[in-house]
């Protein structure tokens, strides 16, 4: 449907959640898949899922905070599949902590994983990226524009990611590379929701926040990621597209609804 057959995608944070959902969609579309994540057990399980869809898959254990490891990871990916067509920067970390209680180390940790990780991924991936034709997709979040309490670290990091998306659209657009973001709202069955809405009451409140009054699904985000990676989106760059049930329209007010 999206004509992605035979292309290669490199996904960070690809062993679980939204980004694994995207990897599965890409695998079903016939893409070669490179998964990078920290936890080797989760990575091995994810590789099995991807191969179950009939795709070739290389799984690389690494931390996106380690710039040198990211260089090595792209070399491994390129040795298997040649040039990379799509990079999905999905690795992220988050937890709830009010600003006055958050240690500077906690703030730095999330900035380093989220914003620093996206930079390290794209910086290392650049020389292996198809030019022209390459596509970058960063997983942002409503936190980039909505100042959620107890998430000063993620709010700041996701805002930084949005500017990375726009800056690379400007710098690499002339080379034929598109740079995009996806901002998923509350998505069911993800580690993010488990961390941010850990009780049934909190989950119900999260589901009521978007104007569509429900949680999204990983498939809904994956469909958007497939469209953005495809030639159907060939004139779209430098923008962060919400897949949030309209959460961004109501922001913090949605939490009261
Ligand atoms: N509340 C407050 N501060 C916290 C915290 C919490 N629940 N968890 C971590 N921190 C702070 C602490 O300051 C901690 O250092 P300290 O314990 O020495 O004070 C610092 O963050 C680093 O935490 P650590 O667990 O050592 O880092 P890590 O690199 O192993 O893990 C996290 C990174 C903290 C982001 C972890 O939650 C993680 O790995 N998350 C990935 C998965 C995820 O969050 N997915 C959802 C994305 S939306």
């Amino acid at each position: 449907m999206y004509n992605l057959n035979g292309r290669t995608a490199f996904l960070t944070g690809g062993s679980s959640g939204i980004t694994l959902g995207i990897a599965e969609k890409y695998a079903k579309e016939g893409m070669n898949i490179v998964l990078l994540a920290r936890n080797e057990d989760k990575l091995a399980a994810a590789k099995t899922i991807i191969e179950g869809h009939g795709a070739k898959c290389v799984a690389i254990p690494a931390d996106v905070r380690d710039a040198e490891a990211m260089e090595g990871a792209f070399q491994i990916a390129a040795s298997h599949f040649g040039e990379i067509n799509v990079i999905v920067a999905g690795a992220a970390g988050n937890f709830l902590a009010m600003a006055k209680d958050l240690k500077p180390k906690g703030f730095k940790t999330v900035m380093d994983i989220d914003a620093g990780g996206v930079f390290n991924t794209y910086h290392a991936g650049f020389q292996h990226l198809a030019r022209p034709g390459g596509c970058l997709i960063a997983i942002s979040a409503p936190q980039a524009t909505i100042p959620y309490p107890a998430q000063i670290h993620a709010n700041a990091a996701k805002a930084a990611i949005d500017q990375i998306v726009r800056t690379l659209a400007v710098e690499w657009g002339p080379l034929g590379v598109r740079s995009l973001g996806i901002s998923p709202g509350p998505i069911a069955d993800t580690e993010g929701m488990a961390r941010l809405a850990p009780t049934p009451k909190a989950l119900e409140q999260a589901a009521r926040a978007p104007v569509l009054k429900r949680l999204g699904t990983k498939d809904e985000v994956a469909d958007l990621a497939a469209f953005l990676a495809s030639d159907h989106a060939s004139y779209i760059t430098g923008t962060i597209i919400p897949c949030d049930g309209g959460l961004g329209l109501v922001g913090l007010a949605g939490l009261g609804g």
Side-chain angles (χ1 to χ4, degrees):
M1 178 178 179
Y2 294 103
N3 296 323
L4 294 167
N5 192 37
R7 298 186 194 180
T8 298
F10 185 114
L11 306 97
T12 71
S15 65
S16 65
I18 288 171
T19 311
L20 176 57
I22 294 171
E24 286 195 65
K25 177 77 183 173
Y26 286 170
K28 289 177 197 165
E29 291 287 329
M31 295 184 82
N32 305 316
I33 304 296
V34 183
L35 299 177
L36 182 140
R38 276 187 295 170
N39 184 303
E40 294 200 29
D41 293 340
K42 282 168 71 179
L43 205 48
K47 183 177 188 309
T48 302
I49 291 171
I50 295 298
E51 288 173 342
H53 296 303
K56 290 184 200 150
C57 181
V58 172
I60 305 171
D63 189 326
V64 291
R65 288 171 286 190
D66 183 340
E68 206 175 311
M70 294 307 294
E71 301 278 349
F74 272 99
Q75 271 159 21
I76 293 168
S79 73
H80 283 270
F81 299 127
E83 68 180 9
I84 310 294
N85 304 96
V86 181
I87 302 175
V88 177
N94 199 1
F95 50 79
L96 294 173
M98 298 302 278
K100 70 177 173 49
D101 304 319
L102 178 66
K103 291 184 190 162
K105 182 182 173 188
F107 183 86
K108 184 176 183 314
T109 296
V110 172
M111 287 297 286
D112 285 351
I113 295 172
D114 290 24
V118 172
F119 175 79
N120 289 343
T121 300
Y122 291 166
H123 189 264
F126 177 72
Q127 63 173 304
H128 303 285
L129 189 61
R131 304 191 300 272
C135 175
L136 311 173
I137 301 176
I139 305 303
S140 182
Q143 284 90 331
T145 54
I146 302 170
Y148 284 97
Q151 294 188 60
I152 192 168
H153 41 324
N155 296 342
K158 294 297 187 179
I161 287 173
D162 285 7
Q163 280 295 61
I164 291 173
V165 168
R166 297 184 189 104
T167 305
L168 292 187
V170 171
E171 287 199 17
W172 296 354
L175 304 174
V177 172
R178 294 179 299 119
S179 172
L180 294 152
I182 294 177
S183 176
I187 304 299
D189 302 322
T190 58
E191 186 173 345
M193 284 312 294
R195 283 168 179 262
L196 303 179
T199 64
K201 189 168 173 240
L203 195 61
E204 192 201 325
Q205 191 183 28
R208 273 190 281 113
V211 297
L212 292 181
K213 300 297 172 198
R214 66 171 176 85
L215 300 176
T217 68
K218 286 180 271 194
D219 280 347
E220 288 172 319
V221 181
D223 274 327
L224 174 58
F227 167 71
L228 292 178
S230 78
D231 294 344
H232 298 294
S234 53
Y235 206 49
I236 305 175
T237 193
T239 189
I240 295 90
I241 301 182
C243 184
D244 67 354
L247 179 69
L249 297 173
V250 290
L252 291 176
L255 291 177

